[in-house]
Amino acid sequence: MKVCFLSKDYSYNGGGERMLCNLANELSCSYDITIVSFDSSQKSTIYMLDSKIDFIEAKILRRKINFFTKFDYIKYIKNHADFFDSFDVIIGVGIICNLVLSYCSPKLKAKTIGWEHFCYDGTPFYQKILRKLLFKNLSQVVILTNKDFEKYKQLNLNTKTIYNFTNMEFRKTPELHNKRFLFVGRLSKQKGFFDFCKVIKKFCKMNSDWNFRVIGNGEYKNDFEKFIKSENLESRINWSLISNDIQTEIENSACLLMTSNFEGLPMVLIEASECALPAISYDTTTGPSDIIADSKSGFIVPIHDQELFIERMKQFLSDFELQQKLSIGAKKESKKFCKQNILRQWIEILEQ
């Protein structure tokens, strides 16, 4: 069976691309896998694909991704109709590719699957309108959490929830004695950049022992650099744009922080859970509460409640027995993201 994944930009190096890499590599053992990346904004990716996978860069790169970008993607599929008709299944990865695939689906021979990576309400208004009009054309829609199931089922009756999984394997208990909070994510509005900066600023005025390890790039990169300098936090924040070894970063930290405004099913929380790392996160509509058991494997905080977020950080760092309890709980929660069970669900979809 030949399977094609459509990616907006595989070099983007986000959680969606990481999950695409994980799934494609696993499926390549049994299927003929191709990935088509419409754009390539970065020179390289940190997510390495199996040599058996065919990777195609369409290089449809606009200066800025906008409404009209989708027409370029649609044109590419139409101009390569024979190529795409050679596949048994075509899977869109993320809302942009899913809209494009749903528009083209009636003229494609392949089974078409839209694989969503954000929560239902975490998309711009025009995308929500297009989704209502077009998603019925897809053979199937795969979503990440049950909380969105009924909403997506109104768009496409053949909707199924499948969790993300990680290829990380537990190696050792995190270094809980390391006084280090970890943040991994884009420096963007979606990831709650401004709340994160305010939390750091307030926390550092109260505590001089614990530091922050930040891994992330994004539209607020320059703002973050200015923030660190203006608040004299160079000695408190260890910041890298990217990391090729997230697992080691997790293992060398005591707690993961997440201040997102909305999420799908964040990979970094699943990876932290697999590695027994507790987390403190805002309670977005979907995502964190699917992974974190409040007060058992970490803490869930109402969105934008910076004071309570800081209180949970202080509670965590002041009680080593609590840290150990939450670490054990995090590892326990990771069992529901078992790779073999999730792969079995994907194979069932492909073989239907």
Side-chain angles (χ1 to χ4, degrees):
M1 179 182 289
K2 296 183 66 176
V3 179
C4 177
F5 288 93
L6 302 180
S7 171
K8 181 171 70 72
D9 181 357
Y10 187 73
S11 71
Y12 189 66
N13 294 328
E17 290 72 40
R18 193 181 317 172
M19 187 56 214
L20 169 55
C21 175
N22 290 347
L23 182 59
N25 283 341
E26 294 293 336
L27 293 178
S28 68
C29 298
S30 304
Y31 300 96
D32 185 347
I33 304 295
T34 297
I35 295 175
V36 175
S37 179
F38 288 120
D39 291 333
S40 299
S41 60
Q42 307 295 325
K43 292 182 179 180
S44 61
T45 178
I46 59 174
Y47 306 137
M48 296 296 103
L49 296 169
D50 190 281
S51 59
K52 296 190 293 293
I53 296 173
D54 290 327
F55 182 78
I56 297 172
E57 290 184 284
K59 296 183 179 179
I60 307 171
L61 185 60
R62 285 179 175 266
R63 188 168 297 175
K64 183 178 180 181
I65 301 296
N66 55 36
F67 175 82
F68 299 100
T69 304
K70 287 181 284 298
F71 295 104
D72 291 336
Y73 297 172
I74 290 169
K75 184 178 179 181
Y76 181 87
I77 292 177
K78 287 184 175 180
N79 289 343
H80 298 82
D82 291 341
F83 169 75
F84 285 103
D85 279 339
S86 69
F87 293 99
D88 300 292
V89 181
I90 302 176
I91 303 173
V93 182
I95 182 63
I96 298 295
C97 290
N98 292 337
L99 290 174
V100 169
L101 183 59
S102 60
Y103 178 86
C104 297
S105 185
K107 295 185 179 180
L108 291 170
K109 296 178 181 179
K111 177 179 180 177
T112 54
I113 300 173
W115 185 17
E116 290 284 83
H117 281 271
F118 270 137
C119 62
Y120 182 88
D121 295 321
T123 57
F125 178 74
Y126 80 90
Q127 292 182 0
K128 293 176 182 176
I129 297 299
L130 291 174
R131 191 171 55 189
K132 287 183 178 180
L133 294 173
L134 296 173
F135 265 35
K136 62 180 180 290
N137 295 334
L138 294 167
S139 306
Q140 188 156 29
V141 175
V142 174
I143 61 175
L144 297 178
T145 74
N146 286 319
K147 292 180 180 178
D148 277 342
F149 182 80
E150 292 301 326
K151 294 178 181 179
Y152 274 102
K153 196 171 181 180
Q154 293 178 15
L155 306 181
N156 188 304
L157 290 175
N158 196 15
T159 294
K160 183 177 179 64
T161 301
I162 302 181
Y163 284 148
N164 285 338
F165 67 87
T166 176
N167 279 328
M168 286 187 184
E169 295 183 359
F170 181 80
R171 298 187 302 201
K172 65 173 185 174
T173 302
E175 300 290 346
L176 297 176
H177 62 273
N178 281 357
K179 297 179 178 181
R180 185 174 95 153
F181 290 110
L182 175 66
F183 176 92
V184 180
R186 294 190 313 281
L187 304 179
S188 65
K189 182 177 180 181
Q190 183 240 322
K191 296 294 184 180
F193 170 77
F194 295 108
D195 273 33
F196 180 59
C197 289
K198 291 175 183 177
V199 165
I200 292 178
K201 181 178 178 180
K202 293 176 182 178
F203 176 85
C204 287
K205 289 180 179 179
M206 303 175 183
N207 178 283
S208 59
D209 293 332
W210 283 61
N211 295 316
F212 295 84
R213 172 64 170 142
V214 177
I215 302 169
N217 199 346
E219 55 262 42
Y220 293 130
K221 180 179 74 171
N222 293 336
D223 298 85
F224 193 51
E225 187 173 7
K226 292 176 183 177
F227 165 76
I228 293 172
K229 291 180 179 178
S230 65
E231 299 297 331
N232 298 313
L233 294 174
E234 289 91 343
S235 64
R236 304 292 302 276
I237 299 174
N238 180 358
W239 173 33
S240 299
L241 298 179
I242 200 168
S243 172
N244 292 317
D245 191 358
I246 291 295
Q247 183 161 3
T248 297
E249 299 286 357
I250 290 173
E251 292 169 344
N252 289 336
S253 302
C255 183
L256 180 76
L257 305 180
M258 180 170 282
T259 55
S260 299
N261 292 309
F262 60 90
E263 286 286 350
L265 192 68
M267 282 297 298
V268 69
L269 282 184
I270 295 175
E271 291 165 343
S273 183
E274 172 61 30
C275 297
L277 183 72
I280 303 173
S281 173
Y282 277 166
D283 188 16
T284 61
T285 305
T286 64
S289 61
D290 294 278
I291 303 167
I292 301 170
D294 189 36
S295 300
K296 295 179 180 179
S297 67
F299 294 111
I300 297 290
V301 178
I303 288 183
H304 304 312
D305 193 338
Q306 298 169 23
E307 299 304 323
L308 182 56
F309 198 98
I310 293 169
E311 282 302 312
R312 293 301 188 222
M313 293 168 67
K314 291 164 62 179
Q315 181 183 353
F316 178 85
L317 65 87
S318 64
D319 188 341
F320 188 70
E321 287 187 4
L322 174 64
Q323 295 173 25
Q324 292 177 309
K325 169 193 165 185
L326 296 180
S327 177
I328 293 170
K331 182 57 184 171
K332 182 178 179 181
E333 289 297 312
S334 72
K335 293 179 181 179
K336 58 189 172 186
F337 305 103
C338 172
K339 178 169 69 174
Q340 296 308 317
N341 291 341
I342 293 168
L343 283 174
R344 191 179 305 117
Q345 295 177 65
W346 272 106
I347 291 171
E348 287 175 359
I349 286 178
L350 296 177
E351 297 291 344
Q352 282 176 354

